[in-house]
Amino acid sequence: MECLTRAEADVVLLVDGSWSLSRANLRTVRSLISHIVEVCDWPQKGAALAQYSGDPRTEWQLNAHRDKKSLLQAVVNLLYKGAVPSQVRQSGLACLELLLLVKACG
């Protein structure tokens, strides 16, 4: 896989933080995110990640990592949140709006 554009853009990732993801699948998610970071030219404008569940959590904001090395380390350090799957319904987009898509986050 390779990026076919040189356009800069904010990258906002939303990860299901419920127990339905499982620890094994979190490794797959980390691998996917790392691959995206590796094939794209960094720094982009910014990258943010949140896990949504009964209590959504911002892992990093758009203005937190300005180079590829720092961002890849953040991916490695991503911890499994865990929550009851029934608590996460419809909270994903609300999580983005409340935690990441605000001026203070970049």
Side-chain angles (χ1 to χ4, degrees):
M1 177 167 63
E2 67 180 273
C3 288
L4 299 177
T5 182
R6 299 284 182 226
E8 286 191 3
D10 288 328
V11 177
V12 179
L13 303 166
L14 183 62
V15 175
D16 179 352
S18 73
W19 293 116
S20 64
L21 178 64
S22 84
R23 290 186 194 279
N25 286 332
L26 180 62
R27 286 190 292 274
T28 302
V29 169
R30 278 192 201 120
S31 177
L32 173 65
I33 296 169
S34 293
H35 190 71
I36 291 168
V37 172
E38 288 287 347
V39 300
C40 293
D41 290 330
W42 289 104
Q44 293 285 324
K45 289 179 71 176
L49 186 138
Q51 286 192 60
Y52 67 98
S53 64
D55 59 334
R57 178 173 72 200
T58 301
E59 299 296 339
W60 61 82
Q61 297 175 344
L62 287 167
N63 56 6
H65 302 284
R66 292 296 177 194
D67 60 68
K68 186 183 283 194
K69 183 178 178 181
S70 173
L71 185 54
L72 286 170
Q73 189 59 51
V75 174
V76 167
N77 294 336
L78 181 62
L79 299 175
Y80 185 48
K81 185 168 180 356
V84 177
S86 63
Q87 294 176 334
V88 301
R89 289 189 189 126
Q90 300 177 352
S91 66
L93 293 177
C95 172
L96 285 177
E97 184 177 40
L98 291 171
L99 300 179
L100 297 174
L101 301 179
V102 295
K103 189 171 185 91
C105 293

